Amino acid sequence: MNVPIGSGEPDSSELAPDLSQVLTLRGVRKSFGSNLVLRSVDLDVAPGECVVLIGASGSGKSTLLRCANLLEVVDDGTIHFAGQEITHPAVDADAVRARMGMVFQSYNLFPHLSVLGNVTLALRKVHRVPASEAEQRGLAMLERVGLADKATARPDDLSGGQQQRVAIARAMVSNPTVLLLDEVTSALDPELVGEVLDLLTELKAEGVTMVLNTHEMGFAREVADEVCFLHDGVVHERGSAAEVLGAPQQERTQAFLSRLRL
Ligand code: ADP
Ligand code: MG
């Protein structure tokens, strides 16, 4: 149930989702059996903003992104996306997902399709864009990620970094309202991480709204407008990268970051 913004009740107006945000999570709760992963997560993502989720393995970063993308059904709480409550049971999840780009650790490209075929597949099948227009948009997107010369190649002929850039192109080609990125460099050899992070830094500079989780703290410092540390099913500490990564206030955040630096 929406609480009207500025209703004069400080408590509820503080909690009310701000519909000018791209994404707003309020009290999101998610368990798997008896494993309570997200207890009560609040999150706001403004247009053009990059929110970086950090936290120990198993703290629920992927689950949070999957809930936002409606790949998981939340147990409680609300998610608003572009002004609409998407946790409402009547919502068409496919239609919501078509307006979000999601990129995973494993790129999941179709090996039997060309790079261009992979990038244009959803445009043609989901968005019903005519083949010639889909091809034009796909090529322009491949140009943008620096892989125009690989349009006719098969994914297997590309490096991991290139394949992940194709997966990002595939997510971006439909002009999604938000890009959700789940540890997109974790499966890559160290020397291939940079090209993917550089691409994301460029997209951020172009104003693409992003929520991502990563263990690359240098990158997080560079792109994050807000860093959220997930612990014990909630955002335990949040703030600018300088605040959360540079001068964490909470003991748990400090412990997590010091473990990373070992
Ligand atoms: P993170 O991405 O922060 O490492 P995850 O969101 O992947 O954490 O997982 C959080 C917890 O939820 C883990 O304990 C994991 O085992 C559990 N979990 C995640 N997805 C599922 C699922 N589909 N079924 C059962 N348990 C799951
Ligand atoms: Mg994960």
Side-chain angles (χ1 to χ4, degrees), residues 55-57 229 231 251-262:
S57 175
F229 172 62
H231 173 73
E251 214 173 290
R252 295 293 187 174
T253 321
Q254 292 164 0
F256 168 73
L257 291 170
S258 66
R259 279 200 301 278
L260 279 189
R261 287 182 191 123
L262 282 179

Side-chain angles (χ1 to χ4, degrees), residues 61-62 182-183 213:
K61 305 178 297 295
S62 297
D182 191 0
E183 287 200 38
N213 80 61

Side-chain angles (χ1 to χ4, degrees), residues 42-88:
D42 297 329
L43 195 73
D44 288 281
V45 185
E49 197 176 31
C50 175
V51 174
V52 173
L53 309 170
I54 62 169
S57 175
S59 60
K61 305 178 297 295
S62 297
T63 301
L64 183 52
L65 291 174
R66 292 172 57 83
C67 286
N69 196 226
L70 303 184
L71 291 169
E72 300 287 356
V73 178
V74 303
D75 299 332
D76 200 6
T78 59
I79 303 177
H80 284 76
F81 170 56
Q84 181 194 14
E85 189 196 326
I86 60 171
T87 35
H88 193 281

Side-chain angles (χ1 to χ4, degrees), residues 31-52:
S31 312
F32 297 104
S34 61
N35 183 9
L36 177 57
V37 178
L38 304 176
R39 195 155 48 88
S40 180
V41 170
D42 297 329
L43 195 73
D44 288 281
V45 185
E49 197 176 31
C50 175
V51 174
V52 173

Side-chain angles (χ1 to χ4, degrees), residues 132-211:
S132 61
E133 187 195 330
E135 186 162 316
Q136 272 181 6
R137 284 172 60 178
L139 284 170
M141 198 59 229
L142 284 173
E143 185 84 44
R144 199 163 154 200
V145 303
L147 290 171
D149 59 329
K150 301 292 186 193
T152 59
R154 299 281 153 166
D156 284 350
D157 297 327
L158 271 55
S159 73
Q162 290 172 328
Q163 290 191 54
Q164 193 55 296
R165 282 152 64 199
V166 172
I168 293 169
R170 177 181 55 183
M172 283 297 299
V173 74
S174 51
N175 295 321
T177 306
V178 66
L179 193 55
L180 308 172
L181 304 140
D182 191 0
E183 287 200 38
V184 294
T185 61
S186 295
L188 298 177
D189 290 333
E191 74 272 21
L192 302 176
V193 168
E195 65 187 78
V196 173
L197 297 185
D198 286 350
L199 170 59
L200 296 180
T201 307
E202 277 170 37
L203 294 178
K204 156 73 182 153
E206 290 168 18
V208 174
T209 308
M210 294 190 256
V211 185

